[in-house]
Amino acid sequence: MRESHAGASRLAELLNGVLSPPRAGHAAYGDRHTVVVSAGLHRAVTGNRPPVDSLGCAEILHGAASDPDPALAALKARMEAVERYASVTCAEQLSTVASAVELGPGALPTRVLPRHDPGEPGPRSGTHGVLGDRDQVRWVRATRCGDGAVVYVPTVMAFNTAPRHPGEEFWVPVSTGTAAHLSWAQALENAVLEVVERDAVALTWLLRTSAERLPDGFGDYPGAEPEARLPYSAEHMREYTLARWDITSDLGIPTVLSVLRGPGRRVHQIVGAAARRTLWAASAASAAEAAQIHASLEASVRAGDRAPRSPVRCRRVHDGALFMAPESKAHHFDFLGGSEPHDAKEPSRSPTPGSDPVRRLIEAGHEIYAVDLTPRDVAPSGVRVVRAIIPSLQPLSPVFAARYLASDRLRRIGVPLAEVNPMPCPLA
């Protein structure tokens, strides 16, 4: 968020009816602060039941963010909490139960949906490979970017809602592609960039693709982008090391993967990632995310959370991060390459700074569907919440046994199932 303090305070006041105030305790991470905010749920919408995650487990809605300014960190965390709140609100009220055949041309074609491979290891974890054209499932209205056509998309792809019909088990609901902003256009761009980021991370990790390591400090000092600020103090960095790789995919939208390593054994290495209009901004944002996730996971471990005993048991959003965080797993990151950073400038394949990622994807033939998730009690604040769905890109699934290994995107690459990374993705 780039609002002034006055604007930030006003927005916080408008959201007070939806969210609880920031928790008293927050993690100071060098000169950066990580704030956790709990979302107060609207009883008229959710009743007395807590929301559930993609596996039907009760969870508390919260947001977390990092910034050198504690007030802005709190505001960013509130906005993330709003995104998560919107992702579980009104799914039933906005849905229509039907089959793709009944909806006809107005439905997203089921043939374009990413699929699971029957040979994926471990228990199926409640998922299966295909949504049939005659399966009765929930659908919500979306707008196809580019031509504005109204298209119905499966509700489980737009909301973090547990499957309610057998056909809905083709999808693992996650928050990917959800963004909140005072501008609809900016919210849409942010949502699309997150889908692009997860696509790049999924391909890099699943295929164990090497990448170019960026110069140390790339994105750490003030530059053209407001968010390109030092995320760690010099004192803090004596105990921690930060390495960043350019994992920009064939989409050409700058994407960076950061690996933060510290002195802890259980939480030794944490991954952050980001896609932005420029490589510089992506580098800064990925480092900030690594700091935020590190603080959150350390707090989780202190509270008694433990990593699954094996990859096939990874099901929660942060299970992969917990499983890969110990120092003993460090060698699984070696495929990234680049033990020494390069002095190269921004790669020429990156688009010209300022290019519109939404338009870029559409021109490349990728269809983008936008769902307005803005809850009624959030709308008066002026905040808009959007979910972007791009079926042609690779989803990043927290469920190890349901990683969409039969997607068209992976099939075009032609990597045998036996060569896919046997470790869970470490990005929470």
Side-chain angles (χ1 to χ4, degrees):
M1 294 296 294
R2 302 172 183 172
E3 290 82 356
S4 64
H5 274 273
S9 298
R10 175 56 180 159
L11 184 56
E13 290 177 5
L14 291 170
L15 292 174
N16 277 341
V18 180
L19 301 176
S20 63
R23 294 177 183 173
H26 68 273
Y29 203 63
D31 64 351
R32 206 154 190 110
H33 298 264
T34 294
V35 180
V36 177
V37 179
S38 295
L41 299 178
H42 199 294
R43 284 191 176 183
V45 174
T46 63
N48 295 319
R49 295 179 300 172
V52 296
D53 63 13
S54 61
L55 301 171
C57 303
E59 66 175 358
I60 298 174
L61 293 178
H62 69 277
S66 60
D67 195 275
D69 186 326
L72 290 180
L75 177 60
K76 291 178 179 180
R78 282 172 175 262
M79 293 298 279
E80 183 174 88
V82 167
E83 293 170 5
R84 297 186 177 185
Y85 173 58
S87 293
V88 299
T89 303
C90 297
E92 296 305 314
Q93 291 89 331
L94 298 178
S95 294
T96 297
V97 178
S99 68
V101 170
E102 291 170 343
L103 291 175
L108 177 68
T110 59
R111 67 178 182 277
V112 306
L113 299 176
R115 299 185 178 189
H116 305 294
D117 192 299
E120 293 185 43
R124 295 299 303 176
S125 301
T127 62
H128 58 77
V130 181
L131 170 63
D133 285 338
R134 298 187 181 279
D135 289 339
Q136 292 287 318
V137 298
R138 293 168 297 169
W139 303 78
V140 293
R141 290 165 58 99
T143 301
R144 186 166 58 208
C145 300
D147 62 5
V150 174
V151 178
Y152 281 88
V153 299
T155 297
V156 289
M157 298 181 72
F159 287 88
N160 284 9
T161 175
R164 295 185 180 276
H165 302 273
E168 294 179 344
E169 294 175 347
F170 77 96
W171 193 254
V172 179
V174 291
S175 62
T176 297
T178 306
H181 201 278
L182 291 171
S183 160
W184 170 267
Q186 191 60 56
L188 176 61
E189 177 175 319
N190 293 348
V192 167
L193 286 173
E194 185 174 50
V195 179
V196 169
E197 166 212 316
R198 301 304 169 95
D199 169 81
V201 172
L203 294 178
T204 299
W205 188 260
L206 289 172
L207 306 179
R208 286 180 281 194
T209 306
S210 61
E212 179 181 339
R213 183 170 170 182
L214 296 172
D216 287 340
F218 188 85
D220 277 357
Y221 50 90
E225 297 291 337
E227 67 181 318
R229 292 176 289 184
L230 180 68
Y232 314 104
S233 67
E235 179 180 357
H236 180 76
M237 288 309 290
R238 293 193 189 101
E239 297 182 338
Y240 290 79
T241 61
L242 177 67
R244 286 171 274 201
W245 285 267
D246 176 6
I247 62 168
T248 303
S249 71
D250 59 314
L251 302 177
I253 297 174
T255 309
V256 173
L257 178 75
S258 291
V259 178
L260 175 67
R261 288 191 169 102
R265 290 189 175 182
R266 283 185 175 174
V267 185
H268 175 70
Q269 62 241 336
I270 293 300
V271 168
R276 293 292 187 271
R277 289 196 177 205
T278 68
L279 195 68
W280 188 278
S283 182
S286 68
E289 183 179 73
Q292 168 190 322
I293 295 174
H294 184 274
S296 297
L297 282 187
E298 280 202 325
S300 179
V301 169
R302 286 196 301 270
D305 201 357
R306 293 293 180 267
R309 295 182 179 180
S310 67
V312 297
R313 293 179 179 270
C314 289
R315 303 177 69 192
R316 298 175 301 172
V317 171
H318 65 289
D319 275 348
L322 278 176
F323 187 85
M324 299 302 298
E327 187 175 7
S328 61
K329 302 294 195 306
H331 64 284
H332 289 292
F333 294 81
D334 291 347
F335 71 85
L336 289 169
S339 58
E340 296 296 331
H342 295 278
D343 295 326
K345 299 292 184 180
E346 184 168 330
S348 59
R349 69 173 176 272
S350 298
T352 302
S355 64
D356 181 357
V358 176
R359 181 176 298 276
R360 184 182 183 87
L361 289 174
I362 293 174
E363 291 177 349
H366 298 277
E367 292 195 338
I368 303 172
Y369 301 90
V371 182
D372 188 350
L373 301 185
T374 312
R376 294 180 186 177
D377 46 354
V378 171
S381 70
V383 172
R384 304 296 299 276
V385 185
V386 62
R387 170 68 69 95
I389 298 171
I390 312 177
S392 56
L393 299 190
Q394 181 68 24
L396 185 63
S397 171
V399 180
F400 186 80
R403 293 179 291 170
Y404 305 97
L405 299 184
S407 69
D408 287 342
R409 189 143 168 77
L410 283 181
R411 284 186 179 278
R412 282 195 295 270
I413 297 173
V415 176
L417 189 63
E419 297 181 14
V420 171
N421 197 331
M423 293 292 108
C425 183
L427 184 63

